[in-house]
Amino acid sequence: MSAGDRVTIYDVARAAGVSPSTVSRTLTRPGRVSVATARRVRQAIDELGYESAPSSAYTDADTRVIALSVQRLANPIYSDILSGFREYFDEGYVPIVVESNEDAHQEAANLRQILPFVDGVILASSLLTDSQIVNIHKQKPTVLIQRKVSGVPSIMFDVRGGVGHLLDLFKQFAHDELLYLSGPDRSWTNGIRWRAIQTEAESRNLKVTRTEPFEPSPRSGFSAVTVWQASKATGVIAFNDLQATGFLKGINRIGLKVPQDVSVASFDNSIAAVVAEIPLTSMGGSNFNVGRHAAELLTAHMRGRRDKAPEIVLPMKIYFRKSLALAPPK
């Protein structure tokens, strides 16, 4: 099934191994099906991106509500994105923020529930499949942040350019082996960041390895210290600033110091990087501008200008701070 195909109730039935009428009952009269069957049907709905038709009472309504779907509200970049969004949008619009906690099924469930009641959707670092995103865009104007799907407007950072500048810094400070603390396995952003690191490291004759997938949180960064200890890396690049702050605490717990024993850098350049116990070298762009551009693209599509799906690429800048220094002697 291509990303442009509309998923039907029959597709869901085949995937779940049930009849179309069972799928219908699951959606409209869930008490009439077993828990196990309902679970299979819901899983197929999430995986295929099936969207049942919204109630006609809401399909064409002008609600003046915009949904911003995020992964973790704890990540401070979203407050900057929301500020940029609010700055641009008419005061008559009300943004609502929904959190999925790095769970694609929860993200899909959130959107199924709110889609009939909003005029547009902004998906930040979405974990949904391309087909799911296309189906949402067919129903309501949609803009992607840090995600690219053909036919859907998007705003992204120039990750490869930012990573190249960062690796130049590591090389300048005599680092020759780096470890990437990976983000979530299903994260499109994680994949883009890792590929950029691989490509740019190879061109600079730097050795780079990555950990198994981690949640982008301080707790996971703390746990990643044991993985780093088993490596020979003198430098670490974390998936985001929150993960990096946990890594700093973990290094301190084992009696070592940043940057004397290991240099650390991260992505996003959020407030977390600035206020960390050791200020973090971090790469990022203006998330305020991300929110502003998202509002502009969404407004254009809500007004019917859907002939094009612009892809806006914003620059990333390296913010050099105390966590990155000369590699320790081997």
Side-chain angles (χ1 to χ4, degrees):
M1 184 182 299
S2 68
D5 293 337
R6 177 81 177 183
V7 179
T8 70
I9 197 170
Y10 301 98
D11 298 320
V12 174
R14 281 193 293 271
V18 299
S19 67
S21 61
T22 299
V23 176
S24 179
R25 282 196 299 274
T26 301
L27 294 172
T28 60
R29 305 177 71 183
R32 297 288 302 275
V33 298
S34 69
V35 173
T37 299
R39 185 181 298 114
R40 290 207 312 276
V41 171
R42 288 291 182 188
Q43 183 175 354
I45 286 171
D46 287 347
E47 291 175 350
L48 296 177
Y50 173 74
E51 300 288 346
S52 57
S55 166
S56 59
Y58 300 104
T59 302
D60 299 318
D62 182 8
T63 67
R64 308 288 287 181
V65 175
I66 303 297
L68 171 60
S69 175
V70 305
Q71 296 305 317
R72 287 185 186 273
L73 286 171
N75 192 329
I77 66 170
Y78 295 127
S79 63
D80 293 335
I81 290 172
L82 190 57
S83 293
F85 175 87
R86 283 174 167 157
E87 180 80 10
Y88 180 87
F89 247 110
D90 186 295
E91 289 183 0
Y93 280 92
V94 178
I96 60 170
V97 182
V98 288
E99 179 185 38
S100 60
N101 287 313
E102 309 292 342
D103 186 329
H105 296 307
Q106 184 62 54
E107 185 179 356
N110 289 345
L111 291 164
R112 275 200 308 272
Q113 186 168 348
I114 67 172
L115 206 59
F117 309 102
V118 301
D119 289 346
V121 179
I122 297 174
L123 301 178
S125 302
S126 177
L127 298 181
L128 300 179
T129 65
D130 287 4
S131 293
Q132 287 174 306
I133 291 171
V134 168
N135 280 326
I136 290 169
H137 188 48
K138 285 179 179 178
Q139 297 176 70
K140 294 293 171 74
T142 303
V143 171
L144 297 172
I145 293 173
Q146 283 299 92
R147 179 71 188 270
K148 183 177 178 180
V149 173
S150 178
V152 183
S154 61
I155 304 108
M156 295 169 290
F157 285 116
D158 176 18
V159 175
R160 185 169 173 180
V163 166
H165 292 311
L166 178 65
L167 295 189
D168 285 339
L169 265 180
F170 273 109
K171 186 127 181 132
Q172 176 184 333
F173 284 111
H175 294 271
D176 56 14
E177 188 167 343
L178 305 174
L179 177 68
Y180 174 58
L181 306 187
S182 183
D185 190 37
R186 291 190 61 176
S187 167
W188 186 88
T189 303
N190 182 56
I192 289 294
R193 290 176 176 178
W194 169 239
R195 285 194 290 275
I197 291 170
Q198 280 184 301
T199 302
E200 296 302 309
E202 183 176 354
S203 68
R204 290 163 174 79
N205 199 30
L206 289 169
K207 182 179 179 181
V208 59
T209 56
R210 65 171 169 171
T211 67
E212 293 299 312
F214 278 110
E215 293 298 309
S217 67
R219 182 186 296 272
S220 71
F222 188 91
S223 301
V225 169
T226 57
V227 182
W228 169 75
Q229 286 180 290
S231 75
K232 296 181 180 179
T234 58
V236 165
I237 303 174
F239 172 76
N240 69 2
D241 297 329
L242 294 178
Q243 192 183 63
T245 61
F247 188 82
L248 293 179
K249 290 186 179 298
I251 289 295
N252 185 61
R253 171 64 70 88
I254 62 173
L256 298 179
K257 293 183 178 181
V258 172
Q260 290 90 334
D261 297 300
V262 58
S263 286
V264 180
S266 55
F267 284 91
D268 289 347
N269 191 47
S270 66
I271 189 63
V274 178
V275 302
E277 56 187 283
I278 299 169
L280 287 161
T281 293
S282 187
M283 62 189 126
S286 171
N287 287 303
F288 181 91
N289 284 339
V290 168
R292 180 175 61 82
H293 283 300
E296 291 171 346
L297 292 181
L298 195 60
T299 298
H301 274 244
M302 288 167 56
R303 291 174 178 169
R305 300 201 297 272
R306 303 191 187 189
D307 53 325
K308 294 182 179 179
E311 295 175 3
I312 297 175
V313 179
L314 302 176
M316 292 189 92
K317 179 181 176 181
I318 305 303
Y319 295 84
F320 179 69
R321 301 188 182 98
K322 294 181 180 180
S323 66
L324 176 55
L326 192 67
K330 293 187 176 180

